[in-house]
């Protein structure tokens, strides 16, 4: 079996599984906010995890706010920024390649709260063009309430110039948010060095428990809570904390740090795989292959056979891939990310996304190549579009 869907969700890491197995044998379950000794032990586990997260990601423990994951973090940060905007600020600038959570949230702010949403431009490699942001900022001036542009795209794995975009916004005193969901735990990231005021993370993207995550907030005193509760997370996020999930976040980030030296090998094996496929199928196209991408992500289009057909054929051999993003996989059209890159339907429909974990490499890519070639050759004899 090859699970090549790490951008959709990563399986639990071995160190996380070991921790959970051991933990299930203890009686250490309770409310981490209680003052009895069980509560205190759970709270101490959470605080140690907060320190590890802060150490691994280059921030202060007070800047780490645990929550249920990226969708919640993004909703909270957009809410906090937009609720506190100045009266004349009604413009939100974003990109056409954001994960669904951003356009869906912005659709709410547009239709219910009267904001106007403006789009930056994307180049053929799937990168935001910084000059198009500068143009929009010059056009709308101090009416801009927020710029929200992701750090790494979930479909192509392409890095956006988010540090530069943050700098552009800072120089004009405009609020900037960058969705870091696909960055944290997949490539090195340091909050302090990044120039960002916020970051978000979902545990299941890095091999920790689903339903756990955090926000990093440069100045938590400026953050309005989205989830009200008691004194949890110093009032920044109410609700009894997912203490098991929180501990797995710290464990997963520690394991990721150990796998860092493997990333160049993973990327090298990926390039070999991509070249092999392109040599076998000259009509194949790897999206974003000219620019910096996540080491284990390939979005590849082989025109002629629908991506979903290839996905199903691969699955019959126990190989799991996606056709675009896991959450929009059931839509048989060219994804909006590819459309924004100027990709037409003849190429866009034949796309699959292969995303591996940071500890994998040559062996997985060799099997993927063998099976992908076999699947394409088999299907092209039966049906093509
Ligand atoms: C870029 C990006 N942002 C946000 C999310 C939302 O993450 P979650 O569903 O874990 O809240 C995802 C998940 O695929 C993502 O890839």
């Amino acid at each position: 079996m090859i699970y090549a869907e790490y951008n959709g969700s990563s399986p639990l890491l071995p160190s996380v599984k070991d921790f959970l197995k051991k933990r299930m044998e203890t009686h250490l379950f309770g409310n981490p906010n209680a003052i009895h000794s069980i509560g205190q032990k759970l709270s101490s586990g959470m605080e140690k995890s907060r320190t590890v997260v802060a150490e691994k990601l280059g921030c202060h423990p007070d800047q780490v706010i645990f929550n249920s994951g990226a969708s919640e973090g993004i909703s909270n940060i957009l809410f906090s920024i937009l609720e506190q905007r100045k009266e004349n600020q009604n413009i939100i600038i974003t990109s056409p390649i954001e994960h669904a959570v951003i356009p869906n949230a912005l659709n709410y702010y547009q239709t219910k709260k009267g904001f106007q949403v403006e789009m930056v431009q994307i180049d053929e490699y799937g990168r935001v063009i910084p000059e198009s942001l500068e143009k929009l900022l010059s056009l709308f001036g101090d009416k801009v309430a927020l710029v929200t542009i992701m750090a790494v795209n979930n479909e192509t794995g392409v890095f956006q110039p988010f540090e530069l975009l943050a700098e552009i916004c800072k120089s004009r005193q405009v609020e900037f948010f960058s969705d870091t969901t696909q960055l944290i735990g997949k490539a090195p990231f340091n909050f302090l060095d990044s120039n960002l005021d916020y970051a978000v993370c979902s545990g299941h993207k890095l091999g920790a428990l689903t339903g756990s995550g955090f926000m990093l907030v440069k100045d938590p005193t400026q953050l309005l809570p989205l989830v009200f509760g008691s004194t949890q997370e110093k009032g920044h996020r109410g609700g009894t904390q997912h203490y098991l999930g929180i501990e797995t976040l710290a464990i997963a980030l520690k394991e990721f740090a150990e796998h860092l030296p493997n990333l160049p090998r993973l990327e090298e094996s990926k390039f070999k795989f991509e070249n092999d496929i392109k040599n076998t199928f000259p009509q194949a196209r790897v999206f974003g292959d000219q620019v910096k991408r996540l080491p284990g992500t390939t979005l590849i289009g082989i025109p002629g056979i629908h991506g979903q057909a290839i996905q199903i054929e691969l699955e019959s051999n126990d190989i799991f891939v996606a056709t675009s993003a896991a959450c929009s996989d059931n839509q048989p059209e060219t994804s909006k990310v590819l459309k924004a890159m100027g990709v037409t339907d003849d190429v866009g429909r034949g796309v699959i996304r292969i995303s591996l974990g940071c500890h994998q490499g040559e062996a997985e890519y060799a099997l993927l190549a063998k099976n992908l070639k076999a699947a394409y050759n088999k299907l092209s004899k039966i049906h093509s579009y």
Side-chain angles (χ1 to χ4, degrees), residues 7-9 68-74 97-102 150-155 179-183 186 200-205 210-212 325-327 353:
N7 288 12
S9 198
S68 69
S71 296
E72 182 189 326
I74 293 167
I97 60 165
E98 302 297 305
H99 180 273
V101 60
I102 300 274
M150 70 198 325
V152 172
N153 183 262
N154 43 306
E155 290 181 33
D179 174 2
T180 53
T181 313
Q182 291 291 347
L183 176 57
K186 292 206 166 74
V200 290
C201 172
S202 268
H204 72 101
K205 300 287 185 198
T210 307
S212 63
C327 46
R353 179 183 70 181

mmCIF file of all heavy atoms in Angstrom, residues 7-9 68-74 97-102 150-155 179-183 186 200-205 210-212 325-327 353, ligand 1:
data_model
loop_
_atom_site.group_PDB
_atom_site.id
_atom_site.type_symbol
_atom_site.label_atom_id
_atom_site.label_comp_id
_atom_site.label_asym_id
_atom_site.label_seq_id
_atom_site.Cartn_x
_atom_site.Cartn_y
_atom_site.Cartn_z
ATOM 1 N N ASN A 7 -0.992 15.685 1.700
ATOM 2 C CA ASN A 7 -1.520 17.053 1.756
ATOM 3 C C ASN A 7 -2.988 17.058 2.169
ATOM 4 O O ASN A 7 -3.495 18.055 2.682
ATOM 5 C CB ASN A 7 -1.369 17.760 0.404
ATOM 6 C CG ASN A 7 0.076 18.105 0.111
ATOM 7 O OD1 ASN A 7 0.978 17.625 0.788
ATOM 8 N ND2 ASN A 7 0.304 18.926 -0.901
ATOM 9 N N GLY A 8 -3.679 15.929 1.922
ATOM 10 C CA GLY A 8 -5.064 15.801 2.386
ATOM 11 C C GLY A 8 -5.062 15.566 3.887
ATOM 12 O O GLY A 8 -5.702 16.300 4.660
ATOM 13 N N SER A 9 -4.323 14.579 4.312
ATOM 14 C CA SER A 9 -4.180 14.276 5.733
ATOM 15 C C SER A 9 -3.034 13.287 5.892
ATOM 16 O O SER A 9 -2.936 12.329 5.130
ATOM 17 C CB SER A 9 -5.477 13.644 6.269
ATOM 18 O OG SER A 9 -5.517 13.724 7.667
ATOM 19 N N SER A 68 -8.819 23.787 17.298
ATOM 20 C CA SER A 68 -9.165 22.522 16.630
ATOM 21 C C SER A 68 -8.478 22.356 15.279
ATOM 22 O O SER A 68 -8.607 21.321 14.647
ATOM 23 C CB SER A 68 -10.678 22.443 16.421
ATOM 24 O OG SER A 68 -11.083 23.403 15.458
ATOM 25 N N GLY A 69 -7.799 23.388 14.791
ATOM 26 C CA GLY A 69 -7.113 23.255 13.502
ATOM 27 C C GLY A 69 -7.202 24.505 12.657
ATOM 28 O O GLY A 69 -7.621 25.578 13.116
ATOM 29 N N ALA A 70 -6.814 24.345 11.387
ATOM 30 C CA ALA A 70 -6.620 25.508 10.517
ATOM 31 C C ALA A 70 -7.916 26.238 10.182
ATOM 32 O O ALA A 70 -7.949 27.468 10.166
ATOM 33 C CB ALA A 70 -5.924 25.081 9.236
ATOM 34 N N SER A 71 -8.995 25.506 9.888
ATOM 35 C CA SER A 71 -10.240 26.206 9.513
ATOM 36 C C SER A 71 -10.688 27.117 10.652
ATOM 37 O O SER A 71 -11.103 28.266 10.416
ATOM 38 C CB SER A 71 -11.356 25.206 9.190
ATOM 39 O OG SER A 71 -10.995 24.447 8.067
ATOM 40 N N GLU A 72 -10.574 26.605 11.876
ATOM 41 C CA GLU A 72 -10.949 27.444 13.023
ATOM 42 C C GLU A 72 -9.984 28.624 13.165
ATOM 43 O O GLU A 72 -10.415 29.771 13.378
ATOM 44 C CB GLU A 72 -10.961 26.619 14.314
ATOM 45 C CG GLU A 72 -11.389 27.468 15.502
ATOM 46 C CD GLU A 72 -11.226 26.788 16.851
ATOM 47 O OE1 GLU A 72 -11.401 25.549 16.948
ATOM 48 O OE2 GLU A 72 -10.921 27.514 17.823
ATOM 49 N N GLY A 73 -8.689 28.336 13.021
ATOM 50 C CA GLY A 73 -7.691 29.405 13.165
ATOM 51 C C GLY A 73 -7.907 30.515 12.140
ATOM 52 O O GLY A 73 -7.890 31.701 12.464
ATOM 53 N N ILE A 74 -8.147 30.100 10.891
ATOM 54 C CA ILE A 74 -8.351 31.085 9.816
ATOM 55 C C ILE A 74 -9.615 31.908 10.108
ATOM 56 O O ILE A 74 -9.603 33.143 10.021
ATOM 57 C CB ILE A 74 -8.461 30.367 8.454
ATOM 58 C CG1 ILE A 74 -7.114 29.734 8.089
ATOM 59 C CG2 ILE A 74 -8.932 31.321 7.353
ATOM 60 C CD1 ILE A 74 -7.159 28.742 6.933
ATOM 61 N N ILE A 97 -6.249 31.278 -5.579
ATOM 62 C CA ILE A 97 -5.764 29.903 -5.354
ATOM 63 C C ILE A 97 -5.869 29.481 -3.892
ATOM 64 O O ILE A 97 -5.264 28.499 -3.479
ATOM 65 C CB ILE A 97 -4.306 29.744 -5.842
ATOM 66 C CG1 ILE A 97 -3.376 30.711 -5.102
ATOM 67 C CG2 ILE A 97 -4.222 29.951 -7.351
ATOM 68 C CD1 ILE A 97 -1.911 30.375 -5.256
ATOM 69 N N GLU A 98 -6.634 30.222 -3.096
ATOM 70 C CA GLU A 98 -6.752 29.905 -1.657
ATOM 71 C C GLU A 98 -7.555 28.627 -1.444
ATOM 72 O O GLU A 98 -8.420 28.270 -2.252
ATOM 73 C CB GLU A 98 -7.447 31.060 -0.922
ATOM 74 C CG GLU A 98 -6.768 32.401 -1.045
ATOM 75 C CD GLU A 98 -5.379 32.439 -0.435
ATOM 76 O OE1 GLU A 98 -5.234 32.106 0.750
ATOM 77 O OE2 GLU A 98 -4.431 32.793 -1.157
ATOM 78 N N HIS A 99 -7.297 27.983 -0.315
ATOM 79 C CA HIS A 99 -8.114 26.834 0.106
ATOM 80 C C HIS A 99 -9.548 27.322 0.351
ATOM 81 O O HIS A 99 -9.760 28.461 0.775
ATOM 82 C CB HIS A 99 -7.528 26.247 1.395
ATOM 83 C CG HIS A 99 -8.283 25.074 1.913
ATOM 84 N ND1 HIS A 99 -9.364 25.200 2.752
ATOM 85 C CD2 HIS A 99 -8.125 23.745 1.695
ATOM 86 C CE1 HIS A 99 -9.838 23.995 3.027
ATOM 87 N NE2 HIS A 99 -9.103 23.102 2.414
ATOM 88 N N ALA A 100 -10.533 26.423 0.153
ATOM 89 C CA ALA A 100 -11.957 26.785 0.217
ATOM 90 C C ALA A 100 -12.341 27.605 1.452
ATOM 91 O O ALA A 100 -13.260 28.439 1.387
ATOM 92 C CB ALA A 100 -12.793 25.510 0.171
ATOM 93 N N VAL A 101 -11.675 27.391 2.557
ATOM 94 C CA VAL A 101 -12.066 28.093 3.790
ATOM 95 C C VAL A 101 -12.004 29.620 3.605
ATOM 96 O O VAL A 101 -12.859 30.353 4.114
ATOM 97 C CB VAL A 101 -11.228 27.608 5.007
ATOM 98 C CG1 VAL A 101 -9.766 27.838 4.833
ATOM 99 C CG2 VAL A 101 -11.698 28.247 6.308
ATOM 100 N N ILE A 102 -11.023 30.095 2.847
ATOM 101 C CA ILE A 102 -10.881 31.559 2.670
ATOM 102 C C ILE A 102 -12.007 32.110 1.777
ATOM 103 O O ILE A 102 -12.758 32.997 2.211
ATOM 104 C CB ILE A 102 -9.483 31.925 2.103
ATOM 105 C CG1 ILE A 102 -8.381 31.455 3.052
ATOM 106 C CG2 ILE A 102 -9.382 33.412 1.755
ATOM 107 C CD1 ILE A 102 -8.005 32.371 4.175
ATOM 108 N N MET A 150 -2.190 32.821 0.769
ATOM 109 C CA MET A 150 -1.613 31.641 1.418
ATOM 110 C C MET A 150 -0.084 31.568 1.294
ATOM 111 O O MET A 150 0.513 32.197 0.414
ATOM 112 C CB MET A 150 -2.245 30.371 0.855
ATOM 113 C CG MET A 150 -1.852 30.061 -0.552
ATOM 114 S SD MET A 150 -2.953 28.889 -1.424
ATOM 115 C CE MET A 150 -3.496 27.746 -0.212
ATOM 116 N N ALA A 151 0.518 30.727 2.167
ATOM 117 C CA ALA A 151 1.979 30.568 2.150
ATOM 118 C C ALA A 151 2.398 29.494 1.149
ATOM 119 O O ALA A 151 3.371 29.663 0.415
ATOM 120 C CB ALA A 151 2.479 30.211 3.543
ATOM 121 N N VAL A 152 1.677 28.375 1.141
ATOM 122 C CA VAL A 152 1.993 27.267 0.232
ATOM 123 C C VAL A 152 0.673 26.706 -0.281
ATOM 124 O O VAL A 152 -0.248 26.467 0.512
ATOM 125 C CB VAL A 152 2.774 26.150 0.962
ATOM 126 C CG1 VAL A 152 2.919 24.921 0.074
ATOM 127 C CG2 VAL A 152 4.148 26.627 1.406
ATOM 128 N N ASN A 153 0.594 26.488 -1.590
ATOM 129 C CA ASN A 153 -0.662 25.987 -2.144
ATOM 130 C C ASN A 153 -0.818 24.485 -1.917
ATOM 131 O O ASN A 153 0.117 23.711 -2.137
ATOM 132 C CB ASN A 153 -0.758 26.311 -3.640
ATOM 133 C CG ASN A 153 -2.089 25.866 -4.206
ATOM 134 O OD1 ASN A 153 -2.184 24.800 -4.797
ATOM 135 N ND2 ASN A 153 -3.133 26.643 -3.970
ATOM 136 N N ASN A 154 -2.020 24.088 -1.528
ATOM 137 C CA ASN A 154 -2.284 22.688 -1.190
ATOM 138 C C ASN A 154 -2.331 21.765 -2.399
ATOM 139 O O ASN A 154 -2.065 20.573 -2.285
ATOM 140 C CB ASN A 154 -3.586 22.566 -0.396
ATOM 141 C CG ASN A 154 -4.702 23.422 -0.945
ATOM 142 O OD1 ASN A 154 -4.534 24.634 -1.125
ATOM 143 N ND2 ASN A 154 -5.829 22.822 -1.231
ATOM 144 N N GLU A 155 -2.657 22.301 -3.594
ATOM 145 C CA GLU A 155 -2.744 21.429 -4.773
ATOM 146 C C GLU A 155 -1.391 21.275 -5.463
ATOM 147 O O GLU A 155 -0.951 20.164 -5.741
ATOM 148 C CB GLU A 155 -3.774 21.981 -5.774
ATOM 149 C CG GLU A 155 -5.183 21.846 -5.249
ATOM 150 C CD GLU A 155 -6.234 22.370 -6.217
ATOM 151 O OE1 GLU A 155 -6.026 22.265 -7.440
ATOM 152 O OE2 GLU A 155 -7.255 22.887 -5.735
ATOM 153 N N ASP A 179 -2.136 31.856 5.062
ATOM 154 C CA ASP A 179 -2.547 30.520 5.499
ATOM 155 C C ASP A 179 -1.341 29.570 5.399
ATOM 156 O O ASP A 179 -0.905 29.221 4.308
ATOM 157 C CB ASP A 179 -3.700 30.066 4.584
ATOM 158 C CG ASP A 179 -4.122 28.635 4.832
ATOM 159 O OD1 ASP A 179 -3.568 27.982 5.729
ATOM 160 O OD2 ASP A 179 -5.024 28.164 4.102
ATOM 161 N N THR A 180 -0.838 29.151 6.559
ATOM 162 C CA THR A 180 0.387 28.332 6.614
ATOM 163 C C THR A 180 0.093 26.841 6.794
ATOM 164 O O THR A 180 0.992 26.073 7.136
ATOM 165 C CB THR A 180 1.282 28.793 7.785
ATOM 166 O OG1 THR A 180 0.471 28.778 8.977
ATOM 167 C CG2 THR A 180 1.850 30.175 7.575
ATOM 168 N N THR A 181 -1.171 26.436 6.553
ATOM 169 C CA THR A 181 -1.573 25.051 6.844
ATOM 170 C C THR A 181 -0.682 24.014 6.169
ATOM 171 O O THR A 181 -0.379 22.978 6.750
ATOM 172 C CB THR A 181 -3.033 24.822 6.392
ATOM 173 O OG1 THR A 181 -3.823 25.905 6.857
ATOM 174 C CG2 THR A 181 -3.587 23.519 6.931
ATOM 175 N N GLN A 182 -0.284 24.256 4.913
ATOM 176 C CA GLN A 182 0.506 23.244 4.197
ATOM 177 C C GLN A 182 2.004 23.432 4.406
ATOM 178 O O GLN A 182 2.796 22.642 3.894
ATOM 179 C CB GLN A 182 0.191 23.287 2.689
ATOM 180 C CG GLN A 182 -1.198 22.822 2.342
ATOM 181 C CD GLN A 182 -1.408 21.311 2.562
ATOM 182 O OE1 GLN A 182 -0.467 20.538 2.750
ATOM 183 N NE2 GLN A 182 -2.668 20.895 2.547
ATOM 184 N N LEU A 183 2.367 24.459 5.154
ATOM 185 C CA LEU A 183 3.797 24.731 5.354
ATOM 186 C C LEU A 183 4.309 24.087 6.645
ATOM 187 O O LEU A 183 5.337 23.393 6.650
ATOM 188 C CB LEU A 183 3.997 26.259 5.376
ATOM 189 C CG LEU A 183 5.384 26.799 5.668
ATOM 190 C CD1 LEU A 183 6.406 26.263 4.676
ATOM 191 C CD2 LEU A 183 5.384 28.330 5.596
ATOM 192 N N LYS A 186 5.753 20.437 7.018
ATOM 193 C CA LYS A 186 6.099 19.875 5.698
ATOM 194 C C LYS A 186 7.386 20.492 5.147
ATOM 195 O O LYS A 186 8.034 19.920 4.287
ATOM 196 C CB LYS A 186 4.958 20.096 4.702
ATOM 197 C CG LYS A 186 3.700 19.289 5.033
ATOM 198 C CD LYS A 186 2.879 19.015 3.794
ATOM 199 C CE LYS A 186 1.838 17.950 4.029
ATOM 200 N NZ LYS A 186 0.693 18.417 4.826
ATOM 201 N N VAL A 200 -1.241 29.465 11.090
ATOM 202 C CA VAL A 200 -2.230 28.462 11.521
ATOM 203 C C VAL A 200 -1.692 27.065 11.226
ATOM 204 O O VAL A 200 -0.855 26.887 10.335
ATOM 205 C CB VAL A 200 -3.598 28.625 10.801
ATOM 206 C CG1 VAL A 200 -4.312 29.879 11.253
ATOM 207 C CG2 VAL A 200 -3.428 28.625 9.282
ATOM 208 N N CYS A 201 -2.193 26.096 11.994
ATOM 209 C CA CYS A 201 -1.733 24.714 11.799
ATOM 210 C C CYS A 201 -2.859 23.740 12.124
ATOM 211 O O CYS A 201 -3.624 23.957 13.066
ATOM 212 C CB CYS A 201 -0.546 24.454 12.728
ATOM 213 S SG CYS A 201 -0.015 22.732 12.772
ATOM 214 N N SER A 202 -2.946 22.670 11.315
ATOM 215 C CA SER A 202 -3.850 21.554 11.601
ATOM 216 C C SER A 202 -3.008 20.329 11.917
ATOM 217 O O SER A 202 -2.159 19.937 11.095
ATOM 218 C CB SER A 202 -4.686 21.216 10.357
ATOM 219 O OG SER A 202 -5.894 21.919 10.361
ATOM 220 N N GLY A 203 -3.265 19.705 13.061
ATOM 221 C CA GLY A 203 -2.465 18.553 13.483
ATOM 222 C C GLY A 203 -2.427 17.436 12.451
ATOM 223 O O GLY A 203 -1.390 16.806 12.235
ATOM 224 N N HIS A 204 -3.564 17.198 11.775
ATOM 225 C CA HIS A 204 -3.608 16.042 10.872
ATOM 226 C C HIS A 204 -2.790 16.243 9.601
ATOM 227 O O HIS A 204 -2.604 15.312 8.831
ATOM 228 C CB HIS A 204 -5.060 15.680 10.524
ATOM 229 C CG HIS A 204 -5.735 16.639 9.608
ATOM 230 N ND1 HIS A 204 -5.888 16.384 8.276
ATOM 231 C CD2 HIS A 204 -6.290 17.860 9.819
ATOM 232 C CE1 HIS A 204 -6.517 17.409 7.714
ATOM 233 N NE2 HIS A 204 -6.774 18.310 8.623
ATOM 234 N N LYS A 205 -2.321 17.464 9.373
ATOM 235 C CA LYS A 205 -1.464 17.672 8.197
ATOM 236 C C LYS A 205 -0.028 17.237 8.488
ATOM 237 O O LYS A 205 0.797 17.148 7.588
ATOM 238 C CB LYS A 205 -1.458 19.143 7.767
ATOM 239 C CG LYS A 205 -2.820 19.689 7.384
ATOM 240 C CD LYS A 205 -3.306 19.163 6.056
ATOM 241 C CE LYS A 205 -4.614 19.827 5.663
ATOM 242 N NZ LYS A 205 -5.335 19.094 4.642
ATOM 243 N N THR A 210 -6.094 14.395 14.375
ATOM 244 C CA THR A 210 -7.098 15.259 13.734
ATOM 245 C C THR A 210 -7.920 15.951 14.824
ATOM 246 O O THR A 210 -8.233 15.333 15.841
ATOM 247 C CB THR A 210 -8.048 14.396 12.872
ATOM 248 O OG1 THR A 210 -7.265 13.621 11.991
ATOM 249 C CG2 THR A 210 -9.031 15.246 12.092
ATOM 250 N N GLY A 211 -8.252 17.200 14.584
ATOM 251 C CA GLY A 211 -9.050 17.933 15.577
ATOM 252 C C GLY A 211 -8.191 18.705 16.561
ATOM 253 O O GLY A 211 -8.694 19.343 17.476
ATOM 254 N N SER A 212 -6.863 18.635 16.348
ATOM 255 C CA SER A 212 -5.964 19.457 17.168
ATOM 256 C C SER A 212 -5.251 20.433 16.239
ATOM 257 O O SER A 212 -5.076 20.148 15.049
ATOM 258 C CB SER A 212 -4.924 18.584 17.878
ATOM 259 O OG SER A 212 -4.086 17.938 16.929
ATOM 260 N N ALA A 325 -7.555 18.895 -4.440
ATOM 261 C CA ALA A 325 -7.487 18.944 -2.987
ATOM 262 C C ALA A 325 -8.471 17.900 -2.470
ATOM 263 O O ALA A 325 -9.503 17.663 -3.098
ATOM 264 C CB ALA A 325 -7.882 20.330 -2.503
ATOM 265 N N ALA A 326 -8.152 17.274 -1.334
ATOM 266 C CA ALA A 326 -9.007 16.197 -0.818
ATOM 267 C C ALA A 326 -10.460 16.649 -0.691
ATOM 268 O O ALA A 326 -11.383 15.903 -1.017
ATOM 269 C CB ALA A 326 -8.482 15.733 0.524
ATOM 270 N N CYS A 327 -10.656 17.913 -0.256
ATOM 271 C CA CYS A 327 -12.019 18.346 0.020
ATOM 272 C C CYS A 327 -12.782 18.766 -1.239
ATOM 273 O O CYS A 327 -13.968 19.023 -1.189
ATOM 274 C CB CYS A 327 -12.034 19.451 1.064
ATOM 275 S SG CYS A 327 -10.831 20.699 0.742
ATOM 276 N N ARG A 353 -2.931 14.471 -7.849
ATOM 277 C CA ARG A 353 -1.983 15.033 -6.879
ATOM 278 C C ARG A 353 -1.365 13.894 -6.084
ATOM 279 O O ARG A 353 -2.088 13.068 -5.524
ATOM 280 C CB ARG A 353 -2.679 16.006 -5.923
ATOM 281 C CG ARG A 353 -1.708 16.577 -4.887
ATOM 282 C CD ARG A 353 -2.390 17.485 -3.886
ATOM 283 N NE ARG A 353 -3.259 16.767 -2.981
ATOM 284 C CZ ARG A 353 -3.984 17.332 -2.023
ATOM 285 N NH1 ARG A 353 -3.954 18.646 -1.873
ATOM 286 N NH2 ARG A 353 -4.750 16.609 -1.228
HETATM 287 C C1 LIG B 1 -4.082 25.400 2.601
HETATM 288 C C2 LIG B 1 -5.123 24.860 3.538
HETATM 289 N N1 LIG B 1 -5.772 25.686 4.367
HETATM 290 C C3 LIG B 1 -6.700 25.272 5.229
HETATM 291 C C4 LIG B 1 -7.063 23.936 5.286
HETATM 292 C C5 LIG B 1 -8.118 23.513 6.257
HETATM 293 O O1 LIG B 1 -7.592 22.599 7.167
HETATM 294 P P1 LIG B 1 -8.565 21.793 8.150
HETATM 295 O O2 LIG B 1 -9.566 21.092 7.296
HETATM 296 O O3 LIG B 1 -7.657 20.857 8.860
HETATM 297 O O4 LIG B 1 -9.184 22.784 9.067
HETATM 298 C C6 LIG B 1 -6.430 23.016 4.433
HETATM 299 C C7 LIG B 1 -6.812 21.598 4.417
HETATM 300 O O5 LIG B 1 -6.715 20.924 3.415
HETATM 301 C C8 LIG B 1 -5.433 23.489 3.539
HETATM 302 O O6 LIG B 1 -4.784 22.667 2.700
#
